[in-house]
Amino acid sequence: MEFLFSNFPPLGKDRTKTGNFADKFYSLIPDTQRLDIAVGYITADSLVELKQIVAMNNINKLNLIIGMHYLDLFTEAEYRSAVALNKFLLEENKGEVRLVTPFRFHGKMYSFTNSSGTFAGIIGSNNLSSIFENGNRIYETSVLLENKTHAEQMQKFILELQSTSTDNIGNLSINKFRMANSLLENHEFVEKIDNHELAECIAACTGTSFDIPIKATPKSNLNVFFGKGRVNNTTGLVKARHWYEVELIVPKKITEQVGFPKAGTDSASFYVITDDGWKFKCNVNGDYSKNFRSENDLKILGKWIKGRLENAGALSVGEIVTEDVLHKYGRDTFTFTKTRKPDLWYLDFKVR
């Protein structure tokens, strides 16, 4: 048995003492042929991550049980992602997605099986979004079970839950959804500002402004999720880039203009305030200052851009960003404007 804790200072600064859920989850995948999961809550991006885990590794079966959303409702993005994962699994004969229907199931259980049988399990407070190490700053605790008897007991419970209390998501009529929470709500390194501070930022905008193009080619940095993924040469694990991971490439004809932040200088790191009231840190780096990214976590900028496309109904989670997606949204650039406030810029992605 091993305890798994989050790594949020000041508690849990020393990673050598304990592992965390995400690290342990992925370390077990290369040895796993069957994955049984029963969790309370999911997120749309965690579902597309699961699909990539199955597609890129040697997992022959994934059975996912979602415990809370049938009665507590999905967002439309979550539901579409769950349906898409279920369709993929059924078509490939690799499992299914099932919902607990007679009651709310709030457990979080992960069972790992190989050709020799069930060899490990994780149980604790981690919902499916915990497969991403960074994100919402919520401290989680779980226990890794490596005792074969305990691991088999866990899988037996999951299978009993499946057979007695669930139905395939495709058999259920679901047409009521909850309003989507913002992807950046409670996100680490992101601050939600009030209307007064947003108005002050807009009022402080200067004439130094740039329209940054958002490229939507198949291999653009909006679509790195669909690439080959990262391979761990030691374990053999193939891990997809995160759905919201984004780093924009700004054309040289823009970065060489007067006033654009320059890599390697004090201007390279700065805060931005967005037109919808989020504040986070960004930077530029690379040759000609071409790489535009959010600091600390590349998913922040990605959640802001892709989240806007998703909320507008132009993009579904797990689908490639194309020129048609941007056309449907109504814009293929965002405006990057310097303010009179030190190290503060304004980002505008409103449809004009």
Side-chain angles (χ1 to χ4, degrees), residues 331-342:
R331 190 170 181 185
D332 60 2
T333 65
F334 68 85
T335 305
F336 179 52
T337 304
K338 186 176 179 61
T339 75
R340 291 187 295 274
K341 297 177 180 288

Side-chain angles (χ1 to χ4, degrees), residues 36-54:
D36 293 281
I37 300 175
V39 294
Y41 293 104
I42 53 81
T43 58
D45 55 335
S46 63
L47 293 177
V48 296
E49 174 80 358
L50 269 186
K51 178 182 176 183
Q52 294 295 77
I53 288 171
V54 173

Side-chain angles (χ1 to χ4, degrees), residues 48 222-223 225-226 243 306 314-322 325:
V48 296
L222 277 182
N223 291 316
F225 172 78
F226 298 98
W243 165 248
K306 283 188 170 181
L315 177 68
S316 293
V317 178
E319 294 185 354
I320 194 166
V321 180
T322 64
V325 168

Side-chain angles (χ1 to χ4, degrees), residues 149-176:
T149 299
H150 293 159
E152 289 175 343
Q153 287 176 340
M154 175 183 290
Q155 191 200 40
K156 181 179 179 181
F157 174 83
I158 294 174
L159 296 179
E160 185 177 359
L161 173 69
Q162 175 179 309
S163 65
T164 63
S165 308
T166 69
D167 201 347
N168 183 276
I169 190 171
N171 297 332
L172 299 170
S173 178
I174 296 177
N175 49 35
K176 292 183 179 180

Side-chain angles (χ1 to χ4, degrees), residues 68-123:
M68 297 292 288
H69 287 279
Y70 181 72
L71 296 176
D72 283 359
L73 304 183
F74 290 96
T75 66
E76 288 194 59
E78 290 166 347
Y79 177 69
R80 288 196 298 268
S81 295
V83 169
L85 176 59
N86 184 60
K87 181 174 183 290
F88 165 77
L89 293 173
L90 291 175
E91 289 178 348
E92 298 294 324
N93 194 29
K94 288 192 173 185
E96 59 181 325
V97 176
R98 301 181 70 88
L99 307 187
V100 177
T101 56
F103 49 77
R104 292 173 173 85
F105 175 77
H106 200 243
K108 295 92 175 178
M109 309 174 77
Y110 303 79
S111 173
F112 304 84
T113 300
N114 59 23
S115 58
S116 299
T118 302
F119 67 93
I122 301 176
I123 185 170

Side-chain angles (χ1 to χ4, degrees), residues 40 42 124 157 160 189 228 232 237 245 255 276 288 314 327 349:
I42 53 81
F157 174 83
E160 185 177 359
F189 308 116
K228 294 181 179 179
N232 186 314
L237 170 71
E245 186 175 319
T255 65
D276 50 352
Y288 310 108
H327 179 75
F349 194 36

Side-chain angles (χ1 to χ4, degrees), residues 98-281:
R98 301 181 70 88
L99 307 187
V100 177
T101 56
F103 49 77
R104 292 173 173 85
F105 175 77
H106 200 243
K108 295 92 175 178
M109 309 174 77
Y110 303 79
S111 173
F112 304 84
T113 300
N114 59 23
S115 58
S116 299
T118 302
F119 67 93
I122 301 176
I123 185 170
S125 68
N126 294 90
N127 278 304
L128 196 60
S129 60
S130 293
I131 61 178
F132 306 122
E133 184 176 350
N134 297 318
N136 290 349
R137 195 174 175 83
I138 299 174
Y139 202 101
E140 306 282 6
T141 62
S142 287
V143 174
L144 169 68
L145 303 176
E146 295 180 291
N147 177 280
K148 186 175 179 63
T149 299
H150 293 159
E152 289 175 343
Q153 287 176 340
M154 175 183 290
Q155 191 200 40
K156 181 179 179 181
F157 174 83
I158 294 174
L159 296 179
E160 185 177 359
L161 173 69
Q162 175 179 309
S163 65
T164 63
S165 308
T166 69
D167 201 347
N168 183 276
I169 190 171
N171 297 332
L172 299 170
S173 178
I174 296 177
N175 49 35
K176 292 183 179 180
F177 304 97
R178 59 181 171 85
M179 294 296 292
N181 293 324
S182 172
L183 292 169
L184 294 177
E185 193 75 43
N186 298 318
H187 200 289
E188 193 172 15
F189 308 116
V190 180
E191 176 186 351
K192 180 64 175 175
I193 65 170
D194 59 29
N195 290 334
H196 177 71
E197 186 173 355
L198 177 59
E200 282 189 338
C201 175
I202 295 173
C205 284
T206 68
T208 302
S209 188
F210 309 92
D211 277 339
I212 308 296
I214 300 174
K215 296 181 181 179
T217 59
K219 294 185 178 181
S220 77
N221 282 3
L222 277 182
N223 291 316
V224 295
F225 172 78
F226 298 98
K228 294 181 179 179
R230 300 184 178 99
V231 180
N232 186 314
N233 293 326
T234 301
T235 65
L237 170 71
V238 183
K239 187 176 179 183
R241 304 283 284 271
H242 192 283
W243 165 248
Y244 289 113
E245 186 175 319
V246 163
E247 182 180 46
L248 298 179
I249 306 300
V250 184
K252 183 180 177 182
K253 65 181 180 180
I254 294 177
T255 65
E256 65 184 5
Q257 294 180 30
V258 175
F260 194 87
K262 304 301 180 186
T265 71
D266 291 342
S267 69
S269 181
F270 46 85
Y271 280 97
V272 300
I273 286 179
T274 68
D275 63 86
D276 50 352
W278 298 105
K279 184 177 182 180
F280 50 90
K281 205 167 190 179

